Amino acid sequence: MTNHQHRGTFASASPALLVGDGRTARHATLLAILLLAVVFLILPGLTAQAAAMNLQVVKSQKGINAWLVEDHTAPIITIGFVFDGGTAQDPVGKLGLANLMAGLFDEGSGELDSNAFQLKLDGAGAEMGFNAWRDGIYGSMRMLSERKDAAFDLLRIAINRPRFDQEPVDRVRAQILSSIIAKEREPHAIAELVWRRRIYGTHPYSRPSKGTKESLAGITPADLSAFHTAMFARDGLHVAVVGDIDAKALSEKLDQLFANLPQKQALAPVPDIAPKLGQWTLVAYDLPQTSLQLAFPGIGPNDPEFYAAQLINDILGGLPFTSRLFQEVREKRGLAYDIGANLEGYQHSDALVVTTSTRADRAAETLGAIRQVIKELAETGPTETELEASKKYSIGAYAINNLDSSSSIAATLIGLQLDKHGIDYIQRRPALIEQVNLDQVKATAKKLLSAEPAIMGVGPRLDIKG
C-alpha cells in the first residue's frame, strides 16, 4: 500500500555501500533473484488469507465506529486510532505543539500523576503510544485480553483527561530540544528543512514538525490543553481494533473511550498544494557520498489513475531487484547499493519520489542515468511483461507489507479509512489493479514522468547540474 499519511516527502536514501564488479555483485544478484522467487511462491496463499480476514464494522450505542478484525488465536488486543489534524495544525509561533502534546499522554492523566500512571500501565501489562504526523494525531495500545478492563481504563483517561503538568511538560520539551540541537549539524536533517521550504513554500507542510528552539520555549500547559480540546473530537476520529475481543465487548469499550469527547473538531483549514517542481536544491556538505532525490507529480488514492500510477512506480523503482532503476543504476553500472521510487503523500499533497545515494565523484553520472531511465519510461511506457509482473507483485505483496502483525493490520485499516476506501477494499483491490491496461499505464507514465522534477543533492560535489 502506498504510504499516504505515514511518510513525508523526504525519504533518506539507504547508505550507498557501492556494489563492486565481479563475484560480490553476482552473488548479490543471485541472492536477490532467489529471494524474489520465494516471495512470489508464497504470495497466492497470503493473498487468499488476506481476502478471508474477518473484518467488520462495529458501531457503539453512542455512535462511535470502528473496524474490527476479531481473532481469538492469541490473548492479545491491539487498538489503533487517529484524530485528524496533526502538526499541520500547529499555530504560527507555536510550532511543535502537536508533537509535544503527543509525548505527554503517558505522563499523567485524571487523578494519576506521571509516576502513578506509569506504574498503573506496567501493572496492566499494556503498551501505549502516541505520535503526531502531518495530518493526524495517532494513538495505539496493545494489551493482554485478560487485563483489558484495566488497560482500556488507562487509555480512557489518557484520551479524555491528560494533565499536562509543568514538570513532565518541561522534561519532554527538553528531550525534544535535545533532538533538535543534535540535528542542527546533521546534513540530511538540514536538507529536509531546506527541501520542504523549497517545494511547499509557506504551506504548513513546510514547517518543522518538532518545532524550533524558539517556538517550543513559548508553549505552555494551557496551550496544550486548548490544542487537545480542539483536536480530540469525535468527527475527526478513525478507529481499528485487532485481536481477542468480540463486537459486543468492543462496542462498550468504544463508548468508554470516546463517547465523552466533543462532537466537533476545531481545525484550521489546510489547502491542497502541488509541490513546486522544476527546481534544484543543492546542499553542500563534506560527505563521502552524495544523496540524490527527485520529486515528480503524484496521484492520490482516490484518483481514477491511482492504480496505474502505483504500477508505474513499481516498474520504475518500487519492485525489489527488478525495477528499471535498480537494474540500470545498481546492476549494470554499480553506482549505488540501493535505489527506489515511492508514491508518497499527505492528505493535501502527493508526489512520486526517487531516492538514492552514490559515491561523491559519481553523482553527476548517477543522476544522468536516473534521468535517462525516467525519460525512456515516460516516452515509451512499460512492456506488457513488466506490467503483468508489477500487477502480480502489487496484489500479492500487500499482505506481506500491510497485514503481517496485529499492529500493521490496525495501521492499514486506519489508512483505508483515511483514504475513504470501503471496508471491502482488501477484497476489491486485486480487481482494481487487474483492470488497469497497458494504454492506461503508458498515459499515466507520460503524465507523471514527463514533468521537470524538483531535484536535491546533498554532499560535497555540487556540479551535478552540469
Side-chain angles (χ1 to χ4, degrees):
M1 186 179 71
T2 304
N3 250 332
H4 283 264
Q5 281 290 106
H6 303 290
R7 178 188 289 245
T9 49
F10 184 91
S12 298
S14 299
L17 304 175
L18 297 180
V19 178
D21 295 329
R23 182 180 302 174
T24 301
R26 287 195 299 272
H27 283 180
T29 302
L30 289 172
L31 178 59
I33 293 171
L34 176 61
L35 289 173
L36 189 59
V38 170
V39 168
F40 275 108
L41 283 173
I42 66 174
L43 291 186
L46 288 171
T47 303
Q49 182 179 353
M53 189 167 57
N54 179 23
L55 179 57
Q56 56 187 306
V57 175
V58 176
K59 186 171 184 177
S60 74
Q61 288 188 351
K62 296 184 179 179
I64 310 298
N65 290 333
W67 289 13
L68 168 65
V69 176
E70 189 174 339
D71 181 1
H72 302 287
T73 57
I76 300 292
I77 301 169
T78 300
I79 179 171
F81 53 91
V82 59
F83 291 94
D84 295 338
T87 64
Q89 292 294 316
D90 284 347
V92 175
K94 303 284 186 180
L95 301 185
L97 180 58
N99 183 67
L100 177 58
M101 182 183 73
L104 290 162
F105 286 102
D106 62 350
E107 293 284 354
S109 58
E111 304 304 319
L112 304 175
D113 65 12
S114 179
N115 289 335
F117 187 91
Q118 292 289 341
L119 287 172
K120 287 272 190 180
L121 191 63
D122 289 344
E127 299 172 348
M128 187 179 80
F130 285 81
N131 287 286
W133 297 86
R134 294 286 172 182
D135 296 308
I137 306 293
Y138 288 75
S140 65
M141 178 174 270
R142 192 166 182 264
M143 69 196 80
L144 295 170
S145 53
E146 65 182 12
R147 300 184 189 177
K148 66 179 182 294
D149 290 341
F152 274 120
D153 192 56
L154 287 169
L155 185 57
R156 174 187 64 82
I157 60 173
I159 291 169
N160 288 271
R161 301 170 59 198
R163 290 170 60 119
F164 304 128
D165 293 333
Q166 189 69 57
E167 186 278 327
V169 168
D170 290 342
R171 175 163 39 80
V172 174
R173 180 184 4 235
Q175 293 168 358
I176 298 171
L177 284 170
S178 177
S179 173
I180 291 172
I181 292 168
K183 289 187 175 182
E184 284 182 336
R185 296 188 179 182
E186 203 286 306
H188 291 94
I190 295 169
E192 178 177 1
L193 293 176
V194 173
W195 173 261
R196 287 188 173 280
R197 287 194 294 267
R198 294 293 301 276
I199 66 174
Y200 290 126
T202 59
H203 191 276
Y205 289 160
S206 71
R207 304 169 185 167
S209 60
K210 290 184 178 180
T212 65
K213 290 183 290 187
E214 295 76 20
S215 66
L216 279 175
I219 295 174
T220 67
D223 294 326
L224 293 161
S225 294
F227 195 76
H228 169 260
T229 300
M231 297 295 103
F232 277 47
R234 292 166 56 178
D235 67 329
L237 174 65
H238 314 271
V239 187
V241 180
V242 180
D244 187 23
I245 189 170
D246 60 29
K248 182 177 184 298
L250 176 58
S251 175
E252 296 172 356
K253 296 303 182 185
L254 291 173
D255 281 340
Q256 175 187 348
L257 292 174
F258 304 113
N260 291 325
L261 292 172
Q263 180 59 40
K264 297 288 186 181
Q265 291 184 301
L267 300 184
V270 177
D272 293 342
I273 184 172
K276 183 181 178 182
L277 306 181
Q279 60 176 322
W280 290 77
T281 302
L282 303 175
V283 182
Y285 270 92
D286 186 17
L287 300 169
Q289 299 169 349
T290 295
S291 295
L292 298 171
Q293 179 160 290
L294 296 83
F296 293 84
I299 287 181
N302 295 304
D303 191 290
E305 294 184 77
F306 175 71
Y307 297 100
Q310 188 177 56
L311 294 168
I312 276 296
N313 175 82
D314 287 346
I315 292 165
L316 175 63
L319 279 171
F321 320 127
T322 61
S323 72
R324 288 197 181 188
L325 286 174
F326 187 93
Q327 287 295 313
E328 183 66 28
V329 176
R330 169 177 161 152
E331 293 300 291
K332 291 183 181 179
R333 300 178 183 236
L335 292 170
Y337 182 78
D338 190 25
I339 184 168
N342 194 33
L343 279 175
E344 300 177 351
Y346 303 119
Q347 285 185 357
H348 302 284
S349 188
D350 297 284
L352 188 157
V353 180
V354 174
T355 55
T356 193
S357 291
T358 188
R359 219 170 66 190
D361 61 347
R362 304 191 74 179
E365 180 186 358
T366 303
L367 181 61
I370 292 170
R371 301 204 71 177
Q372 184 60 34
V373 168
I374 292 171
K375 181 175 183 290
E376 291 174 359
L377 188 55
E379 290 177 349
T380 64
T383 66
E384 189 72 52
T385 299
E386 286 177 315
L387 177 58
E388 290 307 310
S390 177
K391 286 182 178 181
K392 184 175 181 181
Y393 183 82
S394 182
I395 292 169
Y398 189 82
I400 295 174
N401 295 333
N402 298 279
L403 307 172
D404 62 340
S405 68
S406 61
S407 295
S408 64
I409 292 171
T412 296
L413 298 183
I414 289 171
L416 298 183
Q417 294 176 53
L418 291 168
D419 289 342
K420 296 180 172 58
H421 293 311
I423 196 168
D424 62 343
Y425 174 79
I426 294 175
Q427 287 73 35
R428 292 186 294 107
R429 183 178 179 275
L432 294 171
I433 293 170
E434 288 287 7
Q435 70 187 16
V436 179
N437 62 46
L438 189 60
D439 288 341
Q440 291 170 326
V441 173
K442 287 183 176 181
T444 301
K446 185 174 184 180
K447 175 180 177 179
L448 299 184
L449 301 179
S450 294
E452 183 63 23
I455 302 174
M456 181 168 68
V458 184
R461 294 293 296 269
L462 299 183
D463 57 351
I464 57 175
K465 292 176 68 172

